[in-house]
Amino acid sequence: MRTQRTPVTGDEPAQYAWRPQPGELAVAAMRLGHGADFDGSHEAHSHDFPGIAYFQAAGGVVRHGRQVRHVEAGDLFVIAPGDVMGQARSDDLLGARGWGVFFTADALGPETPGAHLAWRTHPLLFPFVHGGATGALRLRVPEDARAEWTTRVEALHDELHHRRDGYREAVSAHLTLVLVGVSRLAADVVGDLRENAEPLLAEVFDVIERRYPEPLSLREVAAAVSISPGHLTSTVRRRTGRTVQEWITERRMVQARRLLAVTDLPVGDIGRQVGIPDQGYFARTFGKVHGMSPTRWRRFNHLNAR
């Protein structure tokens, strides 16, 4: 799992973006706790991708935003894109035993909408829509279900680590079961989120989803949702950790990756289909996001997918 740190200014927390390598399955599972894959020591930061932190045993603390929460057995933290995790010390998770699972919308298959829209429209992703608005959502796994949760995440980790034949399908299945579990636990709280938390974001990402295949600017999105460009920029950045233009670009890149992977369309045609008719500008944008040209990405993806 390779992340890219976005430079920040002033007191803003660091922002991390996941940039999967060509052919990489964008799912990660890691142990949490003292001496494990991640011991809790990090700067204040947010991600542009969602995740969960599940603890089968009590111990230590989790910091998000300005809150400090003592970890209890069965705690499940739902971390949305844009949620700020507080600056932590190396002993924060001393004594804790748990797992972190992180992923992107691409990991759920080609029919899943891209970017932040997916967290609103996919039934298994709705608990992740609150990004930055309310802080990490804390759920509780019932005692009689904790062993099953641990087994489920350990199986996901095992498939990712060993990469046996069919591991992609197995990872997708295990991730789906994890998200089904999250969705069921969150059933009592997502109604409030749906009604109250993000009505503006819903409109913004509806506009992006409908209009990303055509030229689309910040001003046009702002006009469509009837607020000023400045207010829209600050609100979306505060709630999700990214700007409107970055989300437009991300949605276009999701579709570009799919077209590169499953079609033989020329690069220029793909650029036009995702709203960037200038082939040179499309190639530069794709290269900036992925670290390589669309043609090279397609070649590497095909090689690694065999």
Side-chain angles (χ1 to χ4, degrees):
M1 176 179 176
R2 299 179 181 179
T3 56
Q4 176 181 329
R5 187 180 188 275
T6 301
V8 294
T9 59
D11 295 329
E12 291 183 2
Q15 298 162 12
Y16 286 87
W18 191 346
R19 296 291 181 255
Q21 297 297 303
E24 177 187 352
L25 192 58
V27 183
M30 60 186 70
R31 290 182 177 86
L32 302 176
H34 187 69
D37 300 331
F38 177 74
D39 64 6
S41 179
H42 58 68
E43 63 184 337
H45 67 284
S46 65
H47 306 132
D48 71 349
F49 50 90
I52 63 167
Y54 167 63
F55 295 93
Q56 65 261 44
V61 299
V62 168
R63 305 174 191 268
H64 59 88
R66 297 181 179 179
Q67 299 184 59
V68 179
R69 289 180 167 175
H70 291 273
V71 173
E72 300 178 11
D75 270 348
L76 177 68
F77 293 91
V78 180
I79 305 166
D83 276 347
V84 176
M85 305 307 293
Q87 184 172 359
R89 301 188 298 266
S90 60
D91 61 350
D92 271 1
L93 293 180
L94 183 64
R97 287 190 297 115
W99 290 93
V101 176
F102 301 93
F103 58 96
T104 73
D106 290 354
L108 291 175
E111 300 307 314
T112 303
H116 198 284
L117 178 73
W119 319 138
R120 297 200 61 84
T121 60
H122 196 292
L124 299 184
L125 295 177
F126 192 80
F128 299 91
V129 304
H130 62 276
T134 60
L137 184 64
R138 187 184 196 179
L139 304 173
R140 178 59 60 84
V141 176
E143 186 173 0
D144 61 0
R146 291 171 193 168
E148 179 184 356
W149 264 85
T150 300
T151 299
R152 189 181 297 161
V153 181
E154 286 177 345
L156 174 63
H157 179 267
D158 181 72
E159 290 291 347
L160 288 166
H161 178 70
H162 292 288
R163 298 192 176 192
R164 295 176 287 261
D165 288 348
Y167 88 97
R168 288 176 173 271
E169 291 79 8
V171 166
S172 178
H174 287 307
L175 178 62
T176 297
L177 288 173
V178 167
L179 294 178
V180 167
V182 174
S183 181
R184 289 173 177 172
L185 290 173
D188 292 337
V189 298
V190 296
D192 290 339
L193 290 172
R194 188 184 299 273
E195 295 298 327
N196 303 315
E198 306 291 1
L200 175 60
L201 289 187
E203 292 185 66
V204 169
F205 291 109
D206 283 347
V207 173
I208 292 175
E209 182 65 16
R210 286 187 284 107
R211 297 176 56 179
Y212 80 86
E214 62 191 59
L216 181 62
S217 68
L218 166 64
R219 288 187 175 277
E220 289 169 325
V221 175
V225 298
S226 302
I227 65 173
S228 72
H231 179 53
L232 179 61
T233 295
S234 62
T235 300
V236 173
R237 179 67 176 268
R238 184 175 66 254
R239 296 292 182 90
T240 72
R242 305 178 90 177
T243 67
V244 173
Q245 191 58 55
E246 286 171 336
W247 281 119
I248 294 171
T249 298
E250 173 65 13
R251 182 62 185 99
R252 287 169 169 165
M253 293 301 101
V254 167
Q255 184 65 8
R257 290 194 298 271
R258 290 177 183 158
L259 293 174
L260 287 166
V262 303
T263 77
D264 294 320
L265 287 171
V267 169
D269 288 353
I270 291 175
R272 283 189 286 274
Q273 288 198 25
V274 301
I276 308 178
D278 184 318
Q279 182 173 338
Y281 181 66
F282 169 67
R284 289 192 297 275
T285 301
F286 191 95
K288 183 178 180 180
V289 171
H290 300 90
M292 63 181 67
S293 70
T295 301
R296 189 178 177 205
W297 191 95
R298 170 181 268 167
R299 183 168 65 250
F300 272 92
N301 189 73
H302 286 174
L303 288 173
N304 286 320
R306 291 176 180 174

